[in-house]
Amino acid sequence: MAHATEYKAAYHHFIPQFLLRQFAALEQPRPARRQGKRSQGQSTKDPFVNAIDLKKNSLIQVSVSREFGLVDMYRDQGYENHSKPAFKFTAFCQPLSEEDGFILPHNAYGIFEGPSDIEVDPITARIVEGMYTEYHSFAPISPKLIIVLRSSLLVNPSEEGAENLQGVWKWLRETVRIQHLSPHSAVSLLKSLPIKKCENSYSSSVNGKLILKPSRGPRSEERLYFTCFQISSHHVNLINTIFLEQATKGDTIVYKSRSALGRTLKSYLETVQEGFKMVSDGVNDCRLEYLKRLEKVAEQLVGKVCLVYNYIALPNPENHIFQWVADMVNSPEIALLGAANNLRSQLDGGLDTYFYDLKQSQPMVSLRIKIDVILSRSKLTQDDRLEVKHQLLLLYAELPAQRVWLYVKIMRHLTNFDIPDIQEMCEMKSNGPEDEVAKVIALFPSQAGQLTMMFW
């Protein structure tokens, strides 16, 4: 009679051991001496790696066999693929300086470089990620070698003999850029990274452009020729900074050299680069706690470090309802993005500033609400209250017409929503009298300042 096999839990690595061994520490600990046997030194198959213990704010050594893995990682685990189609090319990079090296966080192979909008969920009042663009992604091979995948959005088609795609590529870049809350800053921090596509055996370079050879030959004989690009300390630190920025949910970060790690941590903690180290003013913010842990580790390596970070105020859902309404007003318009008859393309700024104007229209609503509340509690006469409101409208009339148009559209729908309505999307009419005013402004753009008053 057959017996059921007893199940034994297994430890699975989400970063392969052959890669972890590339980060093996130069100084290996002495293994415990077994009774009756001499110490033979640490096994080369299971060396120790240096790591930051983020729970204890300390530097430790852990064995490769027990790092970056989970027990029963594959057992009864549903897998959902959230990947998006992307066109990228592969390049190999190594530090130019022998003193530099790449670190290895737990999620290194899922980290990307590119603009990522930060928004506030009106229901939970928590920071959430919004629109993002992957310009670069990474695959560390060792402290001295990394694979970089660069988005084709950063490639110039004319340099590859595809001048006919120049217009399409420009349109793609602009379409991606303007979807961010701050289109002007939706750029790649690693655009200056000196990498390019690999060469191949079936094309040649003519006047700096790739041209296919007339006799290409069998596909089985085609070859790709990769160059290992040497990158500066600035770019190494920037890649490590991106790693540290997105490593907040792990317990350990593996590194090779203490001196290189010290420089990396100091560079990250003290950088004033826009978009990094954003923390909330809420109690026990996990990102701020993470930064302070790194600060304590850095001080063990390089001494005093001046930690720099940026605060994001977290409003209550009641105070943030107008942002949700603004997003709902925007939703039916998104489908028309790029259409020739799109109303917002007729206003000053058009598509280039639409998302920025949408963002700026929200504090306009907030200011209007606050002034109304203050006036309702004041002892001013009715005429004085009307004068205050009139002065506010005059101030708003000096702003870009598109921003005022969005403000009026939000205000027109604001009274239709309350906190319980957040759970259910209410019917909303996107067309209104403000759209007719916008059409008039589009016909007489030179008089936009005076015509903006028609919104009221």
Side-chain angles (χ1 to χ4, degrees):
M1 181 177 178
H3 295 279
T5 303
E6 182 180 354
Y7 175 78
K8 293 184 178 180
Y11 187 83
H12 302 116
H13 286 81
F14 51 81
I15 294 182
Q17 294 185 65
F18 77 90
L19 287 176
L20 283 176
R21 293 191 191 101
Q22 303 302 315
F23 288 81
L26 295 177
E27 297 182 1
Q28 294 289 317
R30 293 183 178 180
R33 184 172 181 176
R34 297 181 181 179
Q35 187 175 2
K37 294 184 179 181
R38 289 186 176 183
S39 171
Q40 299 297 323
Q42 177 65 23
S43 170
T44 57
K45 293 183 179 180
D46 188 22
F48 280 75
V49 293
N50 296 323
I52 301 175
D53 186 335
L54 292 172
K55 290 184 176 180
K56 299 180 180 179
N57 310 329
S58 61
L59 300 172
I60 61 173
Q61 285 193 324
V62 292
S63 66
V64 165
S65 62
R66 305 306 297 175
E67 183 60 16
F68 291 151
L70 296 171
V71 176
D72 288 348
M73 184 171 67
Y74 301 111
R75 188 185 184 194
D76 298 329
Q77 294 290 322
Y79 176 73
E80 186 176 358
N81 187 359
H82 292 282
S83 62
K84 301 185 300 181
F87 300 96
K88 298 181 179 180
F89 70 85
T90 301
F92 293 85
C93 297
Q94 65 181 34
L96 178 62
S97 172
E98 288 293 330
E99 297 181 352
D100 293 332
F102 301 107
I103 60 174
L104 185 68
H106 73 288
N107 58 339
Y109 301 93
I111 289 176
F112 71 90
E113 180 275 324
S116 180
D117 295 342
I118 295 178
E119 301 175 354
V120 179
D121 188 324
I123 300 177
T124 64
R126 293 181 179 274
I127 296 176
V128 295
E129 288 189 1
M131 171 68 184
Y132 67 92
T133 301
E134 294 186 16
Y135 284 127
H136 295 89
S137 50
F138 312 93
I141 303 300
S142 77
K144 299 296 183 181
L145 182 64
I146 191 171
I147 295 176
V148 178
L149 302 176
R150 169 169 282 183
S151 169
S152 293
L153 288 173
L154 300 179
V155 175
N156 186 352
S158 63
E159 295 179 356
E160 302 186 12
E163 291 87 349
N164 58 320
L165 295 178
Q166 191 72 20
V168 175
W169 236 243
K170 181 179 180 181
W171 177 83
L172 282 174
R173 294 191 196 101
E174 290 301 299
T175 300
V176 170
R177 184 180 64 84
I178 63 176
Q179 293 185 57
H180 287 276
L181 293 177
S182 300
H184 66 283
S185 60
V187 296
S188 172
L189 299 178
L190 288 173
K191 187 177 181 179
S192 62
L193 190 69
I195 60 175
K196 60 181 180 179
K197 288 185 177 181
C198 65
E199 297 179 354
N200 55 64
S201 60
Y202 50 84
S203 63
S204 56
S205 179
V206 179
N207 297 325
K209 299 178 181 179
L210 290 178
I211 306 296
L212 287 176
K213 295 180 179 179
S215 55
R216 184 165 180 171
R219 291 291 182 93
S220 60
E221 297 180 2
E222 293 178 352
R223 297 291 183 269
L224 300 178
Y225 306 109
F226 288 91
T227 299
C228 191
F229 298 95
Q230 293 186 324
I231 60 177
S232 66
S233 297
H234 166 73
H235 285 118
V236 173
N237 279 334
L238 189 50
I239 291 174
N240 283 335
T241 290
I242 294 168
F243 283 175
L244 290 170
E245 179 71 8
Q246 301 183 44
T248 57
K249 296 182 180 180
D251 294 331
T252 56
I253 298 174
V254 169
Y255 67 95
K256 182 84 171 186
S257 163
R258 287 175 62 96
S259 59
L261 176 66
R263 290 191 298 273
T264 291
L265 291 178
K266 181 177 177 64
S267 175
Y268 171 63
L269 295 172
E270 295 184 347
T271 184
V272 293
Q273 178 71 47
E274 182 181 359
F276 286 113
K277 296 175 294 182
M278 307 295 291
V279 303
S280 73
D281 55 0
V283 180
N284 299 325
D285 180 84
C286 59
R287 180 170 288 275
L288 180 57
E289 182 180 348
Y290 166 75
L291 293 174
K292 290 183 176 180
R293 290 181 183 277
L294 289 181
E295 181 184 27
K296 291 180 180 179
V297 173
E299 289 177 346
Q300 299 175 36
L301 298 169
V302 295
K304 183 64 177 177
V305 174
C306 182
L307 173 60
V308 179
Y309 52 87
N310 299 294
Y311 270 121
I312 298 179
L314 290 180
N316 294 324
E318 291 83 357
N319 297 331
H320 212 62
I321 182 67
F322 66 84
Q323 178 174 339
W324 181 71
V325 175
D327 292 339
M328 289 190 63
V329 170
N330 178 56
S331 295
E333 307 292 331
I334 288 293
L336 300 177
L337 190 62
N341 62 346
N342 191 342
L343 181 60
R344 64 186 180 216
S345 66
Q346 302 174 19
L347 297 173
D348 56 321
L351 297 177
D352 286 341
T353 62
Y354 176 77
F355 287 92
Y356 178 74
D357 285 336
L358 176 62
K359 181 180 179 181
Q360 293 300 313
S361 66
Q362 295 166 17
M364 291 171 63
V365 174
S366 180
L367 178 60
R368 167 66 185 275
I369 293 174
K370 289 180 179 179
I371 289 179
D372 285 349
V373 172
I374 293 173
L375 291 177
S376 67
R377 298 172 181 174
S378 71
K379 297 182 179 180
L380 294 176
T381 64
Q382 183 65 19
D383 289 342
D384 289 339
R385 293 179 184 181
L386 292 175
E387 179 61 23
V388 172
K389 292 183 178 181
H390 178 67
Q391 291 299 323
L392 178 64
L393 297 183
L394 290 178
L395 174 64
Y396 282 178
E398 297 179 1
L399 299 175
Q402 180 171 240
R403 196 175 306 171
V404 179
W405 170 64
L406 287 165
Y407 160 78
V408 175
K409 189 172 285 291
I410 294 171
M411 289 299 299
R412 185 164 62 87
H413 290 93
L414 197 60
T415 56
N416 298 331
F417 295 89
D418 203 348
I419 295 302
D421 296 324
I422 294 180
Q423 305 295 340
E424 299 180 5
M425 181 175 288
C426 300
E427 183 178 356
M428 180 179 290
K429 296 180 180 180
S430 58
N431 297 325
E434 67 275 4
D435 298 332
E436 299 303 318
V437 176
K439 292 177 181 178
V440 176
I441 293 177
L443 293 174
F444 305 98
S446 62
Q447 302 180 37
Q450 297 89 337
L451 294 174
T452 301
M453 288 298 296
M454 295 174 60
F455 279 122
W456 322 125

